Amino acid sequence: EDQVTQSPEALRLQEGESSSLNCSYTVSGLRGLFWYRQDPGKGPEFLFTLYSAGEEKEKERLKATLTKKESFLHITAPKPEDSATYLCAVDLDNYGQNFVFGPGTRLSVLP
Amino acid sequence: NAGVTQTPKFRVLKTGQSMTLLCAQDMNHEYMYWYRQDPGMGLRLIHYSVGEGTTAKGEVPDGYNVSRLKKQNFLLGLESAAPSQTSVYFCASSWTVHTQYFGPGTRLTVL
């Protein structure tokens, strides 16, 4: 069964304390891996797309990396405004109906 | 450019009542999707559309119907609401199957 898991479920960091979020997947065919940020009461906001092992993408304090079985979202020197739930999703077949989301990691950055 | 909008933002229904959720996008996207998000679970795909006049079932379609009569609109209907349909509903759209852009969500409670 295709599955996407994320760890940890929740993470509390002090401002400036770098860390990483993990997204692991067991799928038969990966067409792309996506990271989204979701603020409370809002829809997910697109961050990154990764297509192949070894690929990396960066945006401000965030860097996403991809291996054959997992992806990491590295947060460098986070600020309180980085507090949100981070979702990863995998696209299994290029046709849109097999876009599987993980449950998310709830990140809190304390000042 | 409003992106993806959803109407209404909140709704309370009694068991057995019907309602329609409206999603509109002004980005000329071909693909549109309806998801539901429940606590502790990832976003789950209800129905999707790959173009005007087309619809298809996702992972959890039972109890819902959809229509895409115009390219910019995607409607989600509940014919006879049940408490199990209490959830937050998100609409998304995309140029291709990969990068999906989400609306702000509709919080539905069925009593």
Side-chain angles (χ1 to χ4, degrees), chain A residues 10-87:
Chain A
L11 181 63
R12 298 181 74 175
L13 300 173
Q14 289 295 133
E15 184 172 1
E17 180 186 2
S18 300
S19 188
S20 297
L21 313 182
N22 176 264
C23 172
S24 297
Y25 53 92
T26 53
V27 299
S28 55
L30 179 71
R31 295 290 184 263
L33 186 137
F34 306 81
W35 282 99
Y36 286 83
R37 168 192 171 127
Q38 187 174 23
D39 293 302
K42 296 190 176 181
E45 176 187 345
F46 171 75
L47 292 173
F48 304 111
T49 307
L50 301 167
Y51 291 106
S52 56
E55 190 174 358
E56 299 183 353
K57 295 275 180 74
E58 284 190 69
K59 180 181 180 180
E60 296 180 357
R61 296 176 293 282
L62 302 176
K63 182 169 79 171
T65 61
L66 181 65
T67 70
K68 287 187 177 180
K69 289 297 181 186
E70 59 190 349
S71 176
F72 291 94
L73 185 65
H74 306 280
I75 304 175
T76 302
K79 299 181 177 182
E81 53 262 42
D82 294 321
S83 298
T85 295
Y86 290 86
L87 307 173

Side-chain angles (χ1 to χ4, degrees), chain A residues 31 34 36 38 41-44 46 49 51 87 91 94-99 101-103, chain B residues 31 33 35 37 40-43 45 48 50 57 90 97-104 107:
Chain A
R31 295 290 184 263
F34 306 81
Y36 286 83
Q38 187 174 23
K42 296 190 176 181
F46 171 75
T49 307
Y51 291 106
L87 307 173
D91 185 11
N94 268 341
Y95 295 105
Q97 68 267 37
N98 275 328
F99 210 79
F101 279 85
Chain B
Y31 295 78
Y33 314 82
Y35 291 89
Q37 186 175 41
M41 304 184 73
L43 287 152
L45 184 63
Y48 67 100
V50 299
K57 295 180 180 179
F90 288 101
V97 297
H98 294 304
T99 304
Q100 297 184 17
Y101 296 91
F102 285 80
R107 186 173 297 275

Side-chain angles (χ1 to χ4, degrees), chain B residues 74-95:
Chain B
F74 196 28
L75 279 65
L76 178 70
L78 285 72
E79 290 186 346
S80 180
S84 60
Q85 294 177 305
T86 293
S87 188
V88 182
Y89 292 85
F90 288 101
C91 175
S93 71
S94 62
W95 272 113

